Amino acid sequence: MKLGYLGPKGSYSYEAALSYQTHALHLGFKTFYEIIQSVEDGMIDIGILPIENSTEGAVNSVMDGLLRTSRAKITGELVLPIVHNLLGTDKSIEEIRYVYSHPQAIEQCREYFRINHPNMMLLSCESSATACVLAKEKGSGYGAISSKTAAEIYELDILGEAIQDNSFNQTRFVAISQEDEVITNQICKTSIAFSFHNDSPGSLYAVLKEFAVESINLTRIESRPAKAELGKYIFYIDLCGHQDDPEIRKVLSNIQRITNFFKIFGSYPVFTKQARF
Amino acid sequence: MKLGYLGPKGSYSYEAALSYQTHALHLGFKTFYEIIQSVEDGMIDIGILPIENSTEGAVNSVMDGLLRTSRAKITGELVLPIVHNLLGTDKSIEEIRYVYSHPQAIEQCREYFRINHPNMMLLSCESSATACVLAKEKGSGYGAISSKTAAEIYELDILGEAIQDNSFNQTRFVAISQEDEVITNQICKTSIAFSFHNDSPGSLYAVLKEFAVESINLTRIESRPAKAELGKYIFYIDLCGHQDDPEIRKVLSNIQRITNFFKIFGSYPVFTKQARF
């Protein structure tokens, strides 16, 4: 089984990938786009993608990428606590002038740097593990925001511990695959997206009413620009239940009728700490 | 009149600031946070802040920052078309290896670089104008994503024109101030935020129902994480009308009763191309 994650080794995606499936061929990709494309093309069996973070919100490039899939479905989810550290090769934190990381990790530590190290320059790169490679290569004066696992892999010192602005920092990952998950008596979730031809006052209200009437719980609602003029949105909703449940099936079919664009990303078991995924 | 924008000179915020008020003392700040704080402290009269982009969505740090204001209100808005260019000192685009810009500008050109220049390294910095300063300083091999205005100010060549992924790329800015805008017969908008103590299936539905019943148009709805566990959100809504209109006043008071946290950012004239702001 081939499993793709945002590499290199030591990224948070790598930890999520290991946590999902220990015995697999773990392949590090350079972008989320390539992971999605490789699942679409059947080059890998599973792709692991971060989709939302409790501090920074939606991972926009993943949200936008999933909208364009035709074969890949969401088949699982995983919630990982995220603890960021400032890593480097220097003896003291005061020597660091440039700090690399993935833009999401930078945003999750912005207040920490503003308050404690306002003169450090924050530079974005492809992943928190790539940041370690760069900090190691460039040496003195350079740091990386990354995990303890990455500190070990890249032999960097931990100069600042748990530097994320929100102590309760979690990232939710989804697994995408062409194969449906075999579901037996597990509590499930379904992810959908939709938009309206014309946004009228009651459009979103009419969709939410369908869920409210059937007492279907929503665990997530997000809006993203439809990449046209301002004021046009694509809505993303995660709901409790499987798309094959009769009442969910009825509600989704009603929603499809009142929306212009409608897509089901998949139904998959809800993550619990006990379950592997 | 002192007016703060995300500097230095030549940033998109600078263009927005000039477009708002030509005859003012324009002060370039280093972060959105400092602009908001300076309006709160009365150090400047007006702050200009980008709040959403038609490609990339909400400007998270501005959204989060506005949530914490106590004196600054939104008193105006401005929509600016955003055209990104790749600037540098090299003769040919092929010589560029590193490209600086503000993270939002980088995200708005991601597909362009993925398809045309996959090996260029995209590095985030404080603003698209700072990116020009860096590209100029570092010279050959370095580029910046910025405007034509910035190319002129920093004497850089335009190596790639209109490189943004979405040809219809706009940013909406808001003006914040402690002073209320004098409103005379202008069509207005009101911006609010709210969250729920417990997210139940019908919470957001109940709020949207209030607007639907009174046929109040919504021009924007966004959700941002409440910075606590996943699944807790703060909702941002822009609605048509002024908070002092009797029916809006009634609806907002109903919403305040059914929400846990409720904030009105302000009422302000809707931007039209004819109006200055």
Side-chain angles (χ1 to χ4, degrees), chain B residues 94-153:
Chain B
E94 303 306 329
E95 292 171 52
I96 304 286
R97 286 190 55 212
Y98 299 94
V99 179
Y100 285 102
S101 202
H102 188 273
Q104 280 269 334
I106 291 175
E107 288 308 319
Q108 290 164 25
C109 304
R110 202 165 273 289
E111 287 290 291
Y112 166 82
F113 285 102
R114 192 183 62 75
I115 293 164
N116 301 293
H117 307 290
N119 294 325
M120 286 187 191
M121 196 163 164
L122 305 172
L123 303 172
S124 77
C125 62
E126 285 151 350
S127 85
S128 58
T130 304
C132 293
V133 175
L134 290 167
K136 187 80 182 176
E137 255 178 37
K138 302 203 170 221
S140 180
Y142 287 84
I145 304 170
S146 204
S147 67
K148 286 192 177 177
T149 308
E152 278 170 35
I153 293 174

Side-chain angles (χ1 to χ4, degrees), chain A residues 56 60 166 221 223 227, chain B residues 33 56 60 166 221 223 227:
Chain A
E56 225 352 69
N60 295 340
N166 181 353
I221 177 161
S223 59
K227 313 258 171 187
Chain B
Y33 176 86
E56 225 352 68
N60 295 340
N166 181 352
I221 177 162
S223 59
K227 314 259 171 185

Side-chain angles (χ1 to χ4, degrees), chain B residues 220-237:
Chain B
R220 185 185 188 204
I221 177 162
E222 289 274 352
S223 59
R224 292 272 310 135
K227 314 259 171 185
E229 70 261 48
L230 285 166
K232 295 286 276 179
Y233 297 100
I234 294 168
F235 296 97
Y236 293 74
I237 281 181

Side-chain angles (χ1 to χ4, degrees), chain A residues 163-177:
Chain A
I163 62 168
Q164 70 279 3
D165 298 330
N166 181 353
S167 62
F168 202 87
N169 193 28
Q170 297 182 321
T171 295
R172 180 171 159 251
F173 291 83
V174 293
I176 59 167
S177 171

Side-chain angles (χ1 to χ4, degrees), chain A residues 6-12 84-89 98-103 105-106 122-139 142-147 150-151 154 156, chain B residues 121 123:
Chain A
L6 187 76
K9 235 171 130 171
S11 64
Y12 295 101
H84 292 304
N85 305 280
L86 179 54
L87 313 180
T89 54
Y98 300 93
V99 179
Y100 286 102
S101 202
H102 189 272
I106 291 175
L122 305 172
L123 304 171
S124 77
C125 62
E126 286 151 349
S127 85
S128 59
T130 304
C132 294
V133 175
L134 289 167
K136 187 80 182 176
E137 254 178 39
K138 302 204 170 217
Y142 288 83
I145 303 170
S146 203
S147 68
Y154 297 101
L156 290 166
Chain B
M121 196 163 164
L123 303 172

